[in-house]
Amino acid sequence: MQLLTTISLLDDLCCANCGHAHTAHARQTLSTCCQAPLLCRYNLSEGSISKTDLSTRVASLWRYEELLPVFQPENRVSLGEGFTPLLSLGRLADQYGLHNLSLKDEGLNPTGSFKARGLSLAISKAKENGERACIIPTAGNAGVATAAYCARAGLEAVVVMPRHTPDAFKEECLAYGARLVLVDGLINDCAAKVQELNQNGACFDVSTLKEPYRLEGKKTMGYEIAEQLNWQLPDVIMYPTGGGTGLIGIWKAFREMQQLGWLSADQPLPRMVAVQAQECCPIVTTFEGKQANCKQYIGKPTLANGLAVPRPIGEPLMLNVLRESAGTAIAVSENDMVDGVRELCRHEGIFAAPEGGAIWSATKKLVQQGWILPDEHVLLLNTGSGQKYMDNLKGKW
Ligand SMILES: Cc1ncc(COP(=O)(O)O)c(C=O)c1O
Ligand SMILES: [Zn+2]
């Protein structure tokens, strides 16, 4: 491919397992060396981009254009994703004796969840690489985002979703013109169906971490958190964890910002907390040493559909983030996550997805256990809006 001048500082793709470099100028899935995720590596050096220049830029994730993998601006497929509000939760904080509690509301993204970030990047790269169709196994939100961004790009979309997913997710995919395939089971069963449907490779498979670019969209949450807090990071970040791209991506952003000199190397990074549902908590189970890894884990459905990921391929990367950040992993019950949604609604006017309810409920538990101290700054990442989950939440108020 001819290399035109580009604003992106992307150099190559690096195997997450062995570090081997792979080209970023061709279709890439898992690394050919280890069948592991590929991570975008940029040519970053201190002072190469000034963080003070950011203030005049577009209010979307594209404000970080040098740190994103799209080479040509005309290939960007955007619906205005990113730069979501970071809200202070004063009333809940007062009620529970916390001094500094905030929430980044990803429910305000196009298609109602943070999945818009990752799929905007993945579909942009699909366009840049000349793909004609994309396929995805999904718990719901990522499928809706794929359908929307493919429609925007003029690509075909095939979305494979568990049959028990709330109807709003299915209807929205159909509205965007996607082909919807329903499967009995969880997202791992949908992934098997994707393999079967895409044996000839006609579609670009945008499964979590099986292509390099969704992670790059998700990492922009980390850049935004730093910028919106004037480069003073919170002490703790609560993240509802399924496939783990957000957790891995936010941590990648913090490391990149250290390389850029946007964060000083001696400034402590937040402790990252992976929150899961008791019905499906493979990362918590491995983190607590109750299994060697998630490869045989059996999960059950949960009201937080996005957390029903029993065998995430990114497990080693997630565990690294938890260890490097001195973080932890915690599971919450179905009742507790609904209580969390209710409290965010009643006290703060935020209708979070059950995944967001789960992180508030987990925060209260960690405060009770003394793992979070009352004067620490805790940031909740509400990953989606509750609006599409009505089938799950009806009558629970
Ligand atoms: C609302 C919501 N929160 C969290 C998740 C889990 O995200 P990740 O795969 O980044 O762990 C999902 C995934 O479907 C989701 O839809
Ligand atoms: Zn490798």
Side-chain angles (χ1 to χ4, degrees), residues 85-87 89 100-105 221 225 228-229 233-239 250 254 270-271 273 359 363 372 376-382:
L86 206 155
L87 308 167
L89 303 186
N100 197 349
L101 180 66
S102 48
L103 177 144
K104 188 158 172 64
D105 198 357
M221 291 186 287
I225 289 167
Q228 289 173 316
L229 292 173
L233 295 176
D235 298 296
V236 175
I237 294 181
M238 303 294 295
Y239 183 80
I250 291 169
F254 293 155
R271 309 198 305 280
V273 180
I359 52 171
T363 304
I372 292 175
E376 290 190 303
H377 180 188
V378 182
L379 181 102
L380 312 181
L381 250 163
N382 174 41

Side-chain angles (χ1 to χ4, degrees), residues 15-20 22 31-36:
C15 171
N17 189 49
C18 74
H20 187 82
H22 298 258
S31 68
T32 44
C33 43
C34 305
Q35 291 296 299

Side-chain angles (χ1 to χ4, degrees), residues 114-115 139 141 218 239-246 306-307 353 355 383-384 389:
F114 72 147
K115 298 283 176 182
N141 278 311
K218 293 277 193 82
Y239 183 80
T241 305
T245 28
L307 303 187
E355 291 83 345
T383 42
Y389 292 77

Side-chain angles (χ1 to χ4, degrees), residues 3-8 71-73:
L3 288 186
L4 303 167
T5 49
T6 164
I7 196 108
S8 170
F71 292 124
Q72 299 307 324

Side-chain angles (χ1 to χ4, degrees), residues 141-153:
N141 278 311
V144 176
T146 302
Y149 284 93
C150 278
R152 182 102 171 132

